[in-house]
Amino acid sequence: MEQALEITQLDHLFGIPDIVRIVAGNGGLTKVRVTSPAAQGEMYLHGAHVTSWQPPGAEEVLFVSSQSQWDASHPIRGGVPVCFPWFSNKADDPNAPMHGFARTTAWKLESIVQTGDAVTVSMFMESDDATKKWWPADFRLVHRATFGSELILEIEVVNTGTTSLRFEEALHTYFRIGNIETALLNGLNGVDYLDKTDEKRKKTQNGPIAIVSETDRVYLNTDAVVNLEDPALHRRITIAKENSMTTVVWNPWIQKAKAMHDFGDAEWPQMICIEACNVADSSVELKPGQHHQMQATVRVSKLKPTV
């Protein structure tokens, strides 16, 4: 009853007639549902997690696992998890939550703004006793998602404390594709990367990226635009980014998919993660009062058939 009242109040405060509703989503979790002429989309307060973006005439662009656990204690599997303030395991604490605490935190709605046919949803979280259990810093973190003919994702971090802080961040975006075995990624030729499936050995990308086995790579010192060519769905997904100097490419393949309790055994051919991030040596340091923004812009276009 209390949850239903909160959703009703949020919808009254932030909803836009015929365009934006705040409703109960999967597992009863609160979500913002956007239905505009430019796009349909969804964003949950749990983790400030975007789970859907679908421009007119296009198929769904984001992948969400059918096995995702929709409850407040687990991250949503798929969509766009926000990884902060560390990526992967926390180096000095093996008990800390994977990819940080942001993706399992209940964020707050800051604003919903319609500009033309596009809708920007802003959510925020701030340091408190729960975050300081894992990380001592004082901060404010905002995730803005603009649902329009493009999907624009922006992370803003402000150091609200009196000492410097250092963090990693990632927009861990899961893209829905027709068949991983025919998909190609262009834009990272010649870029060095750490191969996490081979003891983090540093290697250099040669040509387009074809996924032929478990893939977990951190591409270093790159702000390049990446194009995902998906012949099976006859489309190209373009990911451009700003203030991001690493790009992660991930697909679990067969065995790892089977080992993941919140991921379907046969779902790995229908997804790939291409992540705008600042991790490893590109982690961000902020002095007191400073702020940092990172942005990813996703576009979809039709892929011309090859002759």
Side-chain angles (χ1 to χ4, degrees), residues 1-298:
M1 182 66 72
E2 185 176 332
Q3 172 82 354
L5 180 61
E6 179 187 349
I7 291 172
T8 300
Q9 291 173 337
L10 288 173
D11 190 49
H12 178 71
L13 287 170
F14 293 100
I16 301 174
D18 301 321
I19 299 292
V20 178
R21 294 291 311 278
I22 291 83
V23 299
N26 291 330
L29 298 171
T30 305
K31 74 176 180 183
V32 177
R33 184 177 66 206
V34 176
T35 307
S36 82
Q40 297 182 37
E42 294 180 350
M43 186 175 183
Y44 280 75
L45 269 69
H46 178 58
H49 200 123
V50 176
T51 55
S52 176
W53 174 59
Q54 187 172 1
E59 294 191 44
E60 173 62 54
V61 177
L62 302 179
F63 167 89
V64 176
S65 175
S66 63
Q67 301 302 306
S68 179
Q69 299 181 61
W70 299 92
D71 67 66
S73 61
H74 293 90
I76 298 168
R77 175 64 71 183
V80 189
V82 176
C83 302
F84 176 91
W86 58 85
F87 185 76
S88 191
N89 296 306
K90 192 170 189 283
D92 60 354
D93 187 355
N95 296 316
M98 174 76 79
H99 291 315
F101 45 68
R103 63 188 187 141
T104 52
T105 294
W107 293 49
K108 297 177 181 178
L109 261 174
E110 180 177 66
S111 64
I112 299 178
V113 178
Q114 183 180 4
T115 306
D117 287 337
V119 174
T120 300
V121 181
S122 297
M123 300 183 183
F124 73 96
M125 64 170 291
E126 296 174 308
S127 50
D128 57 18
D129 290 344
T131 67
K132 290 184 177 183
K133 174 184 176 182
W134 303 110
W135 197 51
D138 291 300
F139 68 91
R140 189 173 195 271
L141 175 63
V142 178
H143 185 200
R144 297 184 188 92
T146 298
F147 300 90
S149 57
E150 303 173 333
L151 176 65
I152 303 173
L153 306 165
E154 183 182 17
I155 293 292
E156 180 177 5
V157 185
V158 181
N159 182 347
T160 59
T162 57
T163 59
S164 292
L165 59 83
R166 180 174 288 277
F167 61 89
E168 296 177 299
E169 60 182 345
L171 291 162
H172 195 311
T173 311
Y174 288 68
F175 291 102
R176 177 178 175 269
I177 56 176
N179 184 356
I180 190 67
E181 296 184 80
T182 60
L184 285 178
L185 277 69
N186 292 295
L188 295 169
N189 182 42
V191 177
D192 291 339
Y193 65 91
L194 303 178
D195 188 345
K196 295 177 72 173
T197 68
D198 189 15
E199 300 179 342
K200 295 186 178 179
R201 287 188 168 88
K202 183 181 282 190
K203 302 176 182 180
T204 302
Q205 183 61 40
N206 181 20
I209 303 168
I211 308 299
V212 296
S213 61
E214 181 189 346
T215 300
D216 193 353
R217 302 175 182 177
V218 181
Y219 286 85
L220 305 169
N221 300 314
T222 178
D223 59 0
V225 174
V226 174
N227 287 298
L228 170 60
E229 312 281 344
D230 182 5
L233 292 183
H234 311 291
R235 70 182 181 186
R236 175 186 292 109
I237 298 174
T238 299
I239 305 101
K241 57 183 194 161
E242 297 177 15
N243 294 330
S244 161
M245 289 307 298
T246 45
T247 296
V248 169
V249 176
W250 179 72
N251 179 281
W253 210 251
I254 301 167
Q255 294 307 318
K256 194 152 197 175
K258 290 180 178 179
M260 296 162 63
H261 64 277
D262 60 349
F263 191 94
D265 290 357
E267 290 182 325
W268 59 269
Q270 275 73 59
M271 58 72 61
I272 187 169
C273 286
I274 304 170
E275 309 168 34
C277 49
N278 286 301
V279 303
D281 291 344
S282 292
S283 60
V284 179
E285 182 173 2
L286 289 182
K287 295 178 181 178
Q290 287 187 328
H291 71 98
H292 160 85
Q293 292 174 298
M294 180 182 74
Q295 180 175 299
T297 301
V298 182

